[in-house]
Amino acid sequence: MNINQFQNNLIEYAASIGIDKIGFTSASPFHELKNRLVRQQELGYASGFEESDIEKRTHPELLLSEAESIIAIAIAYPSKMKDAPSSTKGARRGIFARASWGMDYHTVLREKLALLELFILTHIPDAKLRSMVDTGELSDRAVAERAGIGWSAKNCAVITPEFGSYVYLGEMVTSIPFAPSEQMEDQCGDCRLCLDICPTGALIEGGQLNAQRCIAFITQTKTMVPDEFRAKIGNRIYGCDTCQTICPKNKAKANLHQEAFKPDPELVKPLLIPLLSMTNRSFKETYGHMSGAWRGKNPIQRNAIIALAHFKEASAVPTLIKLMENDARPVIRGTAAWAIGKINTEEGLVALKKAEQTEEVQEVLEEIRKGLLFYTLEK
Ligand code: B12
Ligand code: SF4
Ligand code: SF4
């Protein structure tokens, strides 16, 4: 078997099954990344969603003892949606970030990697392979950067010249000594638009994120959202795209060609009030195929309440009162109480005063009092 010839065949095969970019790198350790990961942890900047074993994250040979190379793949996702419904008074809508549009990308990329594995094994039956997407040990971005898929940008994303930063990444550790691809030069230059626009100052410096301040992270937590971030979340109910939409390298990158990621406008920009009454089952049935559903309905409903407060949507108050009075989840009762105060109707004031007498959970009581405070402040 001529490895170079096979590598070319593999590249052709990847394109034929809808993989937008493929690159190769050695399986040598990621030393610079290791220092970075340690530093991020020390600073308290990690999200907690990453694999915690830094050795495994930076030493591919710990994942596959015969590791020789890593194949990196990228698949583009759309940045534009046709027929987006508008968000109007009385019918306010939230927004899922683009990385949650269409089918869950984990499913799509895993399928493509499985096909690649099959192709390789057909030609090299004794090859050892291990594929991963997002939830694996490796840093998908560090692999992609080293395999020449794109450059590591100031907004932290790996940006490709062809599709901008709107690409999902995945990789396969292999026992085959594929020739490495050429790495790409940094193309951010003097630009710092993403750093300046980040609503929470989560981008500390180019390529360094304090995940604890990043709205993409905060929308995925399950606890009360800290006060300072509530107004900044706006109508985002999952993820945040601001440091990508501002990026000049994403201009004119609509990426509409992947059928699997075509968004259903009613799902990715849903009406907020109906979201609040969804059961676990209806949520799963409706949103379960989207990557943004991975934390379940609770964070989405909490964020939907924050979005209604952002819009000061008075028609939501009766629903919010019901949640504050009856919902079993303290985070939902508390967020609803805060939102009622923010929206500031008379009906809300009566309900908050009543709830202050009956609520027993301290965390929720605090939110009721914050809600009541809005009435004093706004008089
Ligand atoms: C944890 C995680 C998050 C966390 C933390 C994000 C972060 N920036 O670290 C949160 C929840 C905030 C998040 C948000 C998002 N995420 Co995320 N996330 C991950 C995950 C699981 C691990 C990332 C990680 O380890 N970060 C730690 C940092 C330190 O390392 P890194 O970014 O992986 O690697 C780079 C740095 O280490 C840097 N670096 C190394 N050494 C040094 C030294 C210096 C001096 C500097 C400057 C930099 C530097 O170079 C590496 C390569 O770029 C990956 C999947 C995976 N397994 O890798 C997806 C992943 C990074 N996420 C992804 C996406 C799409 C997003 C969002 C756009 C989703 C959204 N719209 O809301 C946002 C973007 C936020 C942002 N600006 O980064 C994609 C990125 C695709 C791309 N083109 O880059 C990934 C790769 C998932 C995937 N398989 O496609 N995510
Ligand atoms: S995803 Fe949003 S909050 Fe996070 S760094 Fe980018 S702009 Fe800032
Ligand atoms: S906005 Fe500018 S600095 Fe930020 S990632 Fe894009 S090109 Fe780089």
Side-chain angles (χ1 to χ4, degrees):
M1 164 71 57
N2 176 329
I3 296 285
N4 282 347
Q5 183 53 48
F6 179 64
Q7 192 163 344
N8 288 335
N9 296 348
L10 186 65
I11 294 169
E12 263 175 40
Y13 177 69
S16 79
I17 59 167
I19 291 174
D20 288 314
K21 280 200 93 171
I22 184 164
F24 301 81
T25 181
S26 79
S28 58
F30 291 83
H31 292 300
E32 197 191 347
L33 175 68
K34 186 170 175 178
N35 295 335
R36 187 61 166 190
L37 293 173
V38 170
R39 185 93 189 105
Q40 286 290 96
Q41 271 189 358
E42 283 169 358
L43 289 166
Y45 287 176
S47 71
F49 294 156
E50 311 83 0
E51 158 69 47
S52 58
D53 187 332
I54 291 181
E55 290 302 315
K56 279 192 190 160
R57 297 211 73 187
T58 52
H59 288 267
E61 75 278 13
L62 296 178
L63 310 176
L64 186 78
S65 55
E66 302 93 329
E68 285 284 341
S69 72
I70 311 176
I71 304 173
I73 65 161
I75 300 190
Y77 59 93
S79 69
K80 303 243 181 311
M81 166 171 38
K82 275 195 193 145
D83 307 321
S86 45
S87 174
T88 52
K89 196 167 174 219
R92 295 296 185 185
R93 291 173 183 271
I95 186 81
F96 279 86
R98 290 162 177 73
S100 182
W101 290 6
M103 176 76 75
D104 187 333
Y105 71 92
H106 300 85
T107 315
V108 176
L109 269 74
R110 278 181 197 140
E111 274 173 17
K112 304 288 184 200
L113 285 164
L115 286 172
L116 277 191
E117 286 195 8
L118 210 63
F119 184 85
I120 296 173
L121 289 171
T122 311
H123 296 86
I124 311 177
D126 61 347
K128 300 282 178 291
L129 310 170
R130 189 155 165 222
S131 298
M132 56 197 85
V133 178
D134 187 52
T135 55
E137 294 85 345
L138 295 175
S139 155
D140 300 341
R141 282 173 169 162
V143 172
E145 182 195 16
R146 211 169 77 179
I149 296 282
W151 75 95
S152 181
K154 287 186 194 166
N155 63 2
C156 293
V158 163
I159 303 187
T160 67
E162 302 87 343
F163 313 104
S165 60
Y166 300 124
V167 286
Y168 297 120
L169 305 172
E171 61 269 344
M172 187 194 303
V173 187
T174 89
S175 59
I176 309 161
F178 288 119
S181 314
E182 205 173 307
Q183 261 183 252
M184 211 169 277
E185 295 258 308
D186 168 72
Q187 292 176 35
C188 283
D190 294 336
C191 175
R192 48 172 290 124
L193 288 171
C194 52
L195 291 154
D196 294 339
I197 201 171
C198 173
T200 56
L203 287 168
I204 305 297
E205 57 178 55
Q208 185 177 43
L209 180 82
N210 177 354
Q212 298 296 323
R213 296 190 64 80
C214 175
I215 292 173
F217 169 73
I218 295 163
T219 58
Q220 298 176 55
T221 59
K222 293 187 173 175
T223 50
M224 289 296 303
V225 170
D227 290 325
E228 70 164 311
F229 300 125
R230 292 184 196 171
K232 292 180 172 160
I233 284 181
N235 73 332
R236 300 175 185 87
I237 52 175
Y238 180 82
C240 171
D241 283 334
T242 303
C243 56
Q244 295 189 93
T245 48
I246 191 74
C247 178
K249 308 294 177 187
N250 280 336
K251 231 179 171 176
K253 304 285 195 250
N255 301 344
L256 303 174
H257 58 287
Q258 293 283 356
E259 201 51 38
F261 300 132
K262 207 172 147 200
D264 176 339
E266 279 299 325
L267 291 189
V268 304
K269 202 176 168 194
L271 285 168
L272 291 165
I273 296 176
L275 263 183
L276 300 181
S277 54
M278 287 191 106
T279 60
N280 282 332
R281 176 189 275 212
S282 61
F283 179 80
K284 219 169 165 191
E285 277 168 9
T286 315
Y287 294 100
H289 65 286
M290 285 165 54
S291 66
W294 78 286
R295 301 281 280 172
K297 75 173 172 135
N298 295 354
I300 303 285
Q301 288 183 326
R302 177 203 61 188
N303 302 339
I305 296 171
I306 293 174
L308 287 163
H310 158 77
F311 289 123
K312 290 196 169 239
E313 181 52 55
S315 73
V317 171
T319 310
L320 294 173
I321 292 175
K322 270 192 211 142
L323 289 174
M324 174 177 71
E325 291 177 345
N326 305 319
D327 200 277
R329 299 160 295 177
V331 169
I332 295 295
R333 292 206 302 283
T335 310
W338 171 84
I340 291 166
K342 188 99 179 133
I343 298 170
N344 229 251
T345 63
E346 276 308 312
E347 184 191 10
L349 178 61
V350 175
L352 280 170
K353 282 183 176 160
K354 199 173 129 208
E356 194 186 17
Q357 303 307 311
T358 52
E359 179 59 55
E360 288 175 353
V361 176
Q362 192 53 37
E363 180 188 39
V364 183
L365 255 180
E366 277 168 27
E367 297 302 327
I368 292 172
R369 287 180 184 141
K370 279 183 210 163
L372 284 166
L373 208 59
F374 284 121
Y375 287 88
T376 343
L377 293 175
E378 303 211 353
K379 265 194 184 136

